[in-house]
Amino acid sequence: MSKAATMTSPRAGRGLAIGTAALVIVALMGVGAWVVSLGSVPLGRELELSTIVVDREGRLLRPYATTEGRWRLPARLDGVDPRYLALLLAYEDRRFRSHPGVDPLALARAAAQLVIERRIISGGSTLTMQVARILEPTPRTLAGKTRQILRALQLELRYSKDEILAIYINHAPMGGVLEGVEAASRAYLGKPSRRLSHADAALLTVLPQAPSRLRPDRHPQAARAARDKVLQRMAGQWSAADIADARQEPIIAQTLRDPLLAPLLAERLRRDSGGRQRIDTTIDAQAQQTIELLLADRLAALPPRVSMAALVVDNATLEVRAYAGSAEFADHQRFGFVDMVRAARSPGSTLKPFLYGQALDAGLIHSESLLADVPQSFAGYQPGNFQQSFHGAVSVSEALSKSLNVPAVEVLERLEPQRFVAALRSGGLKLDFPKGAAPNLSVILGGAATSLEQLVGAYTAFARHGIAGKPRYNPAAPLVEQRMLSPGAAFIIRDLLEAGGPVGRAIEQGPGIRRGIAWKTGTSFGFRDAWSIGVSDRLTIGIWVGRPDGTPNPGFFGANIATPLLVAAFEALDQQPAAPRQPPPSVTQAKICWPLGTRFDPAEAELCHRQRLAWLLNDTAPPTFADRLRPGEARYRYEVDASSGRRVTPECSRQPRRQVEAARWPAALEPWLGNDLRTVARPPAWADGCQGQPEPAGGLRIVGLTDGEVIHRPHPGQAPVVRLEVRGQHGPVYWLVNGRLAAHHSASRALIQRLPEPGRTDITVMDDAGRFDRVSVSVR
């Protein structure tokens, strides 16, 4: 053969190259046409991930399954432990970053192994091909493998390497209904995928190869063997010590169960999330679990259908740390699906601290202002106390610490209900009233409705210098604050709630006061709601106990059922000692006097029947409220004999006289004064020659009924009528029936009184000298 025959002419070479290129182009066009014929990449499964609700540290509170019933917890590449990602690429697809979706070398190796060994040794699939199979399952045939390869090429054209890797870590099968590294890490290992050990990373890498056969909760030995095989493959990339330590770790998988903390809050936030897959909250998972355990621990002591709710708020940030809307979410008998943190309920006496705080700001009272805890009628409204007893003369501090009803109504009457409710609303606490109803005196005893959420937000004002706030559930939520009270009023009320009375004694022991928990209870009418709300320097905690359907629970009240749970919550969540606090500049202390209520003046010591140490706001000591029953000034004058000191008048004595100024107790309180105070409060006896005047020491006596008498109705529905007279007085007297002024006339006139209501009736008669008599009768 000639040399010319062995050489290809330039023209022929060019023709061969063009033909080869044409064949390649046709082949590529064919492949491209086939890829196009496959249609678009199926995105449905790729895009649908589980919605998760997490706490402030990213710990899982509650996941929600996809519409297919799968648990695919969203994970980001930058949120997964780097060891897992490095191991995944090293073990599954070393050339992932460089190949176009298909690794020819791996496919060739797999084919050679199949021919030589006559069985599948390795599949030759890249991570991109595995993603293609995840998104569009194909049969394990040559046609199926070919379609998978083409889908992988299609994926590489559409997505970046990181996007493909993200699809894999979110969708890789991990056994059962679990898919993705985050779901497997939390379900099997009890931790997020960002905190994996070497052993954890190896286990989660190998699981997708045989997710059913290698489930660590069912087949721990097989899972360990597969894990160790992966670890051994990392020799040379990881240190021998790390691999040895990882191989020593046992396979201990949790029992698969759905995480379920703060379920009602999760439901609430999910509804308002706008479809977000990850819902961040301010909840502290440990605090949440503590509160839920405390509630569960008390379930056995509660009757059926009784539920509980608790809310814990950080005072500094207003972030909610724990939220339990019911006692047990899965207990339908106790209405566990009803969120009682948000439910509108009667607040009972929990509004009283705000009433006294507003009265302080209005200049109506100081901490030791004199109030009358006696039967009284306020335009027909006759409140009673929870214990059905009365204490007589009490201070504001005593009325608040004992949660007395009559003094609270007396203060609200002076402040006005509309003004009180409007101030609460401006501070962020909205009260609900029945349709067409207006605020009235009953509001301070629970005659309105609000929620635990609003009450706790309002109570934060006592730890935040009078500024209340809206509880925050999302760290990105704005800070919503409103002024509820002045800093001084908030300090005084918190101090009264903590100390249970005037705290001047503690102040004198040192420059600062050791503080604990300021708390208030409440019980709604008919024992339907039991409340206890407490404030420390760090936390505000609210507890509610009751039946969501509003059925009464006799014997259930705030102090005996809700407060023990409140105390346990503080002991568990807030063990930090309280810091000493000093009163703000607007708060001072001063000695004040009863009955006038004003500052003690040594020059008028005779007007001070009882001395008390009080907190004053803005250096103001408001006087005792004007007498509701007896007109005239609280100060009055009379004359005494200059030598004997006994009482006289110009008509009965010509001896030298002098005037004496005295202080008069409110008429409603005079019958309730002890003997020592009554002696101080009464004028002296009449001098000789002034006989005929009523003697202060002489008593009045009611005639017509005896104390403790039981009166029976003559006929059903017919009210008995009694006729009462008074002995020991000829001048004017005051008749009071259940604290309401029934008559003011001469003692010579009888009182004709109907007793329409069954039960106890208190009837009192008194005169201007402070003398009185009282009988209590019962109508049956």
Side-chain angles (χ1 to χ4, degrees), residues 202-220:
L203 175 64
L204 297 180
T205 295
V206 77
L207 258 180
Q209 289 191 353
S212 297
R213 186 171 55 83
L214 300 179
R215 279 184 59 167
D217 60 326
R218 294 184 178 178
H219 309 290

Side-chain angles (χ1 to χ4, degrees), residues 12 17 19 52 85 150 155 189 277 316 331 343 425 477 515-516 613 726:
I52 61 170
L85 295 176
L150 294 174
L155 283 169
L189 307 176
Q277 289 176 342
D331 192 338
R425 185 182 298 111
R515 302 290 174 176
L613 188 61
V726 61

Side-chain angles (χ1 to χ4, degrees), residues 211-473:
S212 297
R213 186 171 55 83
L214 300 179
R215 279 184 59 167
D217 60 326
R218 294 184 178 178
H219 309 290
Q221 292 180 345
R224 180 166 188 167
R227 181 203 69 181
D228 290 350
K229 178 182 176 182
V230 175
L231 290 170
Q232 197 61 40
R233 287 272 296 272
M234 295 305 292
Q237 298 186 52
W238 287 354
S239 70
D242 286 341
I243 293 175
D245 289 344
R247 289 170 63 92
Q248 291 298 316
E249 285 191 26
I251 295 289
I252 302 176
Q254 298 183 134
T255 301
L256 292 188
R257 58 186 178 85
D258 302 342
L260 197 64
L261 286 175
L264 287 171
L265 176 63
E267 290 282 346
R268 172 180 177 178
L269 297 181
R270 184 190 181 206
R271 286 194 299 267
D272 301 335
S273 68
R276 282 182 290 123
Q277 289 176 342
R278 177 186 170 109
I279 301 172
D280 292 286
T281 73
T282 61
I283 295 294
D284 182 292
Q286 186 173 354
Q288 179 69 33
Q289 189 170 39
T290 297
I291 288 295
E292 291 187 11
L293 289 175
L294 286 175
L295 297 184
D297 188 53
R298 282 158 173 76
L299 273 182
L302 297 179
R305 302 187 181 277
V306 172
S307 187
M308 296 177 282
L311 190 66
V312 180
V313 173
D314 186 293
N315 294 327
T317 63
L318 295 177
E319 292 182 348
V320 174
R321 296 295 179 234
Y323 183 115
S326 64
E328 173 55 57
F329 179 65
D331 192 338
H332 289 271
Q333 186 183 30
R334 297 185 186 275
F335 307 94
F337 52 88
V338 179
D339 189 349
M340 298 309 297
V341 169
R342 307 178 72 186
R345 307 289 292 200
S346 167
S349 295
T350 58
L351 300 180
K352 288 175 181 174
F354 303 105
L355 168 68
Y356 292 116
Q358 288 188 29
L360 281 165
D361 280 330
L364 296 176
I365 60 172
H366 48 69
S367 72
E368 302 305 307
S369 288
L370 174 63
L371 300 175
D373 182 38
V374 300
Q376 295 192 66
S377 176
F378 302 90
Y381 181 53
Q382 301 179 14
N385 285 323
F386 182 76
Q387 300 292 346
Q388 300 299 319
S389 60
F390 298 94
H391 298 75
V394 296
S395 66
V396 165
S397 60
E398 292 167 330
L400 179 56
S401 63
K402 296 177 181 177
S403 196
L404 303 177
N405 290 343
V406 178
V409 173
E410 181 180 8
V411 173
L412 182 59
E413 183 189 47
R414 307 287 176 164
L415 185 65
E416 298 180 353
Q418 293 85 352
R419 179 181 177 184
F420 173 62
V421 171
L424 288 178
R425 185 182 298 111
S426 68
L429 177 56
K430 181 183 178 183
L431 299 181
D432 296 328
F433 294 89
K435 187 176 181 179
N440 55 43
L441 294 176
S442 70
V443 69
I444 197 57
L445 305 184
T450 189
S451 66
L452 178 62
E453 181 177 57
Q454 291 200 62
L455 279 173
V456 171
Y459 265 77
T460 61
F462 297 116
R464 306 178 78 246
H465 310 291
I467 298 177
K470 182 178 180 180
R472 302 168 61 217
Y473 302 106

Side-chain angles (χ1 to χ4, degrees), residues 569-639:
F570 270 110
E571 288 178 349
L573 301 180
D574 190 9
Q575 299 178 354
Q576 178 179 338
R581 287 182 295 122
Q582 292 295 333
S586 59
V587 175
T588 54
Q589 290 186 56
K591 294 179 180 179
I592 61 95
C593 292
W594 282 2
L596 298 180
T598 52
R599 293 174 186 268
F600 171 71
D601 184 351
E604 297 180 328
E606 68 279 0
L607 302 180
C608 191
H609 301 169
R610 178 170 289 175
Q611 192 178 118
R612 302 178 75 92
L613 188 61
W615 287 121
L616 305 185
L617 183 62
N618 300 322
D619 203 33
T620 301
T624 300
F625 293 151
D627 200 319
R628 301 178 64 253
L629 301 176
R630 181 170 53 198
E633 297 295 328
R635 293 184 179 217
Y636 69 101
R637 294 177 179 273
Y638 57 86
E639 293 186 325

